[in-house]
């Protein structure tokens, strides 16, 4: 419902996700690494939901609000901060600029 969605978006956890992913994007400066870390953390939440009660949430909360909402918003804000500060982007995967041979 719209009321439940509004409660999720205005919660302290949503703000914590946004601020956390802003900081990770500013620190790592790499979209790929941040997305891999975001997916890994959401999978970790799913696997630990039986141990930690705060991780028990609906699938739409985990995927849409956390991953595609707060995490993406934090990464975008971090990217804008990096562009504003005119910093260098990094590629921690080592794949950028490598020629690939496709058979």
């Amino acid at each position: 419902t719209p009321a439940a969605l509004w409660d999720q978006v205005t919660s302290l956890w949503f703000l914590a996700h946004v601020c956390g992913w802003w900081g990770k994007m500013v620190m790592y400066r790499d979209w790929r690494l941040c997305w891999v870390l975001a997916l890994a953390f959401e999978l970790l939440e799913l696997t630990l939901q039986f141990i930690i009660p705060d991780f028990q949430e609906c699938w739409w909360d985990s995927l849409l609000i956390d991953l595609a909402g707060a995490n993406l918003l934090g990464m975008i804000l971090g990217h804008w901060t990096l562009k504003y500060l005119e910093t260098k982007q990094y590629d921690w995967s080592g794949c950028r600029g490598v020629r690939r041979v496709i058979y």
Side-chain angles (χ1 to χ4, degrees):
T1 65
L5 182 64
W6 180 252
D7 287 342
Q8 290 290 334
V9 172
T10 57
S11 72
L12 182 64
W13 294 110
F14 188 86
L15 181 63
H17 272 267
V18 171
C19 292
W21 284 104
W22 174 85
K24 289 175 187 79
M25 187 62 168
V26 168
M27 184 171 50
Y28 295 126
R29 302 180 194 177
D30 185 13
W31 281 101
R32 286 184 194 141
L33 180 64
C34 284
W35 273 113
V36 167
L37 291 174
L39 288 170
F41 186 73
E42 291 303 321
L43 287 173
L44 184 68
E45 278 188 3
L46 287 173
T47 57
L48 294 178
Q49 69 182 344
F50 301 106
I51 300 170
I52 303 171
D54 288 344
F55 287 166
Q56 293 177 359
E57 53 192 17
C58 297
W59 66 268
W60 60 268
D61 185 20
S62 180
L63 289 177
L64 299 178
I65 294 179
D66 289 351
L67 195 60
N71 296 359
L72 179 62
L73 180 61
M75 287 182 219
I76 289 171
L77 293 173
H79 183 71
W80 287 350
T81 302
L82 294 172
K83 283 182 113 28
Y84 177 76
L85 297 174
E86 299 177 2
T87 60
K88 177 183 174 186
Q89 270 195 327
Y90 290 109
D91 178 22
W92 294 98
S93 66
C95 293
R96 197 169 292 150
V98 175
R99 292 181 179 237
R100 295 179 181 94
V101 177
I102 300 173
Y103 293 103

